[in-house]
Amino acid sequence: MRRLGASVLGMEAIVAGLITPVAITVAGVEPWLAVTAGIGLAVLCVVVAGLLKRPFGYVAGSVVQVLAICTGFLVPTMFFLGAIFAALWITAIIVARRIEGATSR
């Protein structure tokens, strides 16, 4: 379960980091706000991926998904991409629980 969650958060960290230049050049967001939101979310994704060893790590991962969707207020495309990552996050949790349940029997 940890590997799937970390994979989703890793991919999301890359996308979150890449919204910084898009927010500045295309959306016209102030550079300080774009860097704080984009790079901050990317770092948060990496930190939470490391916290998946603990039970609250999955709650933190869910909070990251909400924050990713909220970055859509800076770059509207992130509403869509954030929803996709949230769906991947939920799917990863469901699939991993099924696999872990099947292997524990």
Side-chain angles (χ1 to χ4, degrees):
M1 189 161 150
R2 201 174 351 154
R3 287 181 186 163
L4 281 172
S7 297
V8 171
L9 288 170
M11 290 184 293
E12 191 169 4
I14 294 168
V15 171
L18 290 174
I19 69 164
T20 302
V22 173
I24 293 170
T25 57
V26 176
V29 176
E30 292 291 325
W32 66 270
L33 180 59
V35 169
T36 302
I39 303 301
L41 183 61
V43 169
L44 186 61
C45 287
V46 172
V47 169
V48 170
L51 291 175
L52 292 180
K53 298 174 186 173
R54 305 181 195 313
F56 68 86
Y58 294 96
V59 174
S62 299
V63 170
V64 167
Q65 303 313 311
V66 172
L67 293 175
I69 293 171
C70 289
T71 58
F73 290 110
L74 299 176
V75 179
T77 307
M78 281 304 292
F79 283 124
F80 176 70
L81 291 174
I84 288 176
F85 277 111
L88 286 171
W89 177 254
I90 293 167
T91 304
I93 291 173
I94 292 170
V95 168
R97 285 190 179 161
R98 285 186 186 166
I99 292 172
E100 286 180 354
T103 57
S104 66
R105 292 181 193 160

